Amino acid sequence: METILSSKSKTVIISPERPTVLIGERINPTGKKRLAAALMEGNLEPVRTEAVAQVEAGADVLDVNVGATGVDEVELLPAAVRLVMETVDVPLCIDSANPEALRAALTVYKEMAPHGKPLINSVNGEEARLERVLPLVAEYGAAVIGLTMDDDGIPATARKRLAIAHKIVARAESVGIPRQDIVIDCLALAVGADSQAGRVALDAIRMVQEELGVNLTLGVSNVSFGLPERELINLAFLAMTIQQGVNCPIVDVAKVRPTVLAADLLLGRDEYAMRYIKAYRKRLAAAARC
């Protein structure tokens, strides 16, 4: 099962047989007061800076989200997409809950990369969301992330999240979206609030991979919310999710890439440890320059 994303001149292939694809999460104002304030002022320079930094850190795809209070996403999201595509050449994950903002951003993406293929973040099992977003995915020939939540919220059990994944895949296929263009997110909730949240997410990931065969993403850092030493928890959980089937996590790439390379090595996705060794030497060289 290969999900193929592309920018103007770069193609990224997400597949269980290939190394983990890293989607950079940092162009998102959630929890970032300075970025949110800049976006409210229409200042996109921090977006440019984050785009460059994440690609230099090893991001394969960049998530672009401008959803902050007081921001007109229909105007600002396409502007951010244009800026990022002018700055770096990697496929984008266009992230908004506003279908009109998605359409505006997709129009810019196709203008900048006529043969390109972005990832849309996201659709879920809610009827209104399925009806408004899936036609956009089909119209623009994009791929889409499907969140395992519906009109009743996020299920507490892995089996119910699997059922929503089945629903999303079936509805997408019914409007002509091939299964390989659907990436499922089984959703990680905070283990500080529910000690079983990590286990449920891991079980759902495994079940979706086994039954549907689709590629899987996850916003890993949610699992550690409210706890001390969050990075330690995030890295441990990330390695577990990769083993269970997540192959394109949404992460802070600079912080997690060494762990991902180690996980890929141990799962047989790095012949002769070449990627791991190359990254290690690059870190040594960078440290020596400092």
Side-chain angles (χ1 to χ4, degrees):
M1 184 74 69
E2 291 188 345
T3 302
I4 300 175
L5 307 177
S6 56
S7 59
K8 187 175 181 179
S9 62
K10 183 173 183 179
T11 297
V12 171
I13 301 176
I14 304 167
S15 168
E17 288 76 36
R18 291 175 176 265
T20 302
V21 167
L22 297 177
I23 302 176
E25 69 178 9
R26 290 194 56 80
I27 303 176
N28 187 325
T30 303
K32 301 182 183 74
K33 293 182 179 180
R34 289 184 180 178
L35 179 57
L39 293 174
M40 288 174 63
E41 296 172 356
N43 176 12
L44 291 175
E45 191 55 36
V47 171
R48 186 197 303 274
T49 300
E50 284 288 5
V52 171
Q54 289 185 97
V55 171
E56 288 180 349
D60 303 295
V61 178
L62 293 182
D63 187 87
V64 180
N65 182 319
V66 298
T69 302
V71 169
D72 181 353
E73 287 191 67
V74 177
E75 178 181 345
L76 201 61
L77 183 60
V81 165
R82 183 182 300 278
L83 177 67
V84 173
M85 294 183 78
E86 289 172 346
T87 304
V88 295
D89 186 24
V90 297
L92 301 187
C93 178
I94 302 173
D95 187 353
S96 177
N98 184 328
E100 294 308 312
L102 287 176
R103 178 179 291 280
L106 287 165
T107 299
V108 167
Y109 198 96
K110 285 299 184 181
E111 175 192 329
M112 300 286 290
H115 302 291
K117 184 175 182 179
L119 180 62
I120 294 175
N121 190 5
S122 59
V123 73
N124 57 46
E126 297 173 0
E127 284 300 319
R129 192 75 180 161
L130 289 167
E131 291 172 3
R132 297 192 69 184
V133 175
L134 290 182
L136 279 176
V137 178
E139 178 181 350
Y140 285 89
V144 64
I145 293 174
L147 309 179
T148 54
M149 59 182 290
D150 60 13
D151 296 281
D152 296 321
I154 301 174
T157 68
R159 181 63 59 184
K160 289 183 178 179
R161 294 186 200 184
L162 172 65
I164 295 173
H166 272 282
K167 176 183 178 180
I168 292 170
V169 169
R171 291 287 288 274
E173 290 181 329
S174 74
V175 298
I177 301 167
R179 186 170 300 202
Q180 61 264 29
D181 286 343
I182 307 160
V183 178
I184 294 296
D185 184 338
C186 290
L187 299 172
L189 300 179
V191 293
D194 177 1
S195 61
Q196 296 304 306
R199 177 75 267 169
V200 169
L202 291 168
D203 287 345
I205 291 163
R206 174 181 50 79
M207 293 161 69
V208 168
Q209 202 283 325
E210 289 176 351
E211 293 199 19
L212 290 168
V214 294
N215 293 307
L216 291 126
T217 188
L218 195 73
V220 175
S221 61
N222 295 336
V223 77
S224 63
F225 185 78
L227 293 172
E229 296 191 311
R230 293 187 64 186
E231 189 172 335
L232 175 63
I233 299 168
N234 294 343
L235 292 176
F237 187 57
L238 176 59
M240 293 177 183
T241 66
I242 291 172
Q243 196 279 330
Q244 292 293 82
V246 167
N247 51 10
C248 53
I250 301 174
V251 291
D252 186 337
V253 178
K255 292 182 178 179
V256 309
R257 190 165 185 263
T259 297
V260 172
L261 291 175
D264 280 348
L265 170 63
L266 295 171
L267 290 170
R269 299 172 185 162
D270 184 3
E271 191 170 7
Y272 301 114
M274 294 303 294
R275 293 175 70 242
Y276 181 84
I277 293 170
K278 182 179 179 180
Y280 169 72
R281 288 173 175 167
K282 185 177 179 180
R283 291 198 301 275
L284 282 184
R289 287 193 298 270
C290 295

